[in-house]
Amino acid sequence: MAITRTLLKATALFVSSPTICIRKLNDLLARENEQMMFVTIFYGVLHLPTGRVVYVNAGHNPPYLLHADGTVQAVPRTGGMAVAVSEDFPYREAALTLAPGATLFLYTDGITEAFNPEAQEYGDARLERVLSSLHGRQQTPEEICNAVLADVHQFENGAPQADDITCMALRYHGGA
């Protein structure tokens, strides 16, 4: 993970296209990957004046877009697999435009793959319900993350955590 982060930051300094950046990162990591370790990545570039996000999803859970009107929508996938698996993989990018007041919610699979003592999985549907329930509460991105994490921990009900649980939210206020 540390190597991936370092290489991504270094590559992104010289390459503005998310597709080219992830392709270069993938090729660097896959070239000598005898242990077959891989990393999933959602990598996007936000143009602050317009709210346009150009992104590549390399095998990561699709983020959610929380619209100001309360609707919750999964960000469309781009068909990419995790980086470091195969050299020369043809990653594709997509774009979306954030409207003022929209929030982008990103998370690791440790959230949706959390289990309770009865071996039930938290799942995507439960995450979507929690995110939808937050509409109208004028919550900050930090409060959104805290609400999701609290719901996951309540669901786990003391069951051991099997994977990392990480999330972040970004609210777009407009280009002004």
Side-chain angles (χ1 to χ4, degrees), residues 57 106 171:
N57 189 332
L106 300 101
R171 170 127 343 114

Side-chain angles (χ1 to χ4, degrees), residues 2 9 12 26 28 31 42-43 45 66 70 76 79 87 93 100 102 108-109 126 131 133 140 144 149 161-162 166:
K9 288 175 78 174
N26 176 65
L28 286 168
R31 192 163 293 128
F42 179 87
Y43 178 71
V45 176
L66 288 63
E87 282 186 76
E93 65 187 26
T108 61
D109 61 1
R126 186 180 303 270
L131 293 172
S133 75
T140 65
I144 291 169
L149 294 173
Q161 185 176 323
T166 305

Side-chain angles (χ1 to χ4, degrees), residues 2 6 18 20 23 36-37 43 50 52 67 72 77 89 106 115 118 121-122 135 143 150 155 163 167:
T6 300
I20 294 171
R23 283 181 186 165
M36 281 309 297
M37 298 184 76
Y43 178 71
T50 63
R52 182 174 163 82
H67 297 277
V72 174
R77 295 180 183 266
F89 185 81
L106 300 101
F115 287 90
E118 291 77 34
E121 188 177 59
Y122 187 82
H135 176 64
E143 291 168 333
F155 173 81
D163 201 352
C167 63

Side-chain angles (χ1 to χ4, degrees), residues 11 15 19-29 31:
T11 304
V15 178
T19 301
I20 294 171
C21 187
I22 294 300
R23 283 181 186 165
K24 287 183 179 292
L25 174 67
N26 176 65
D27 290 347
L28 286 168
L29 292 171
R31 192 163 293 128

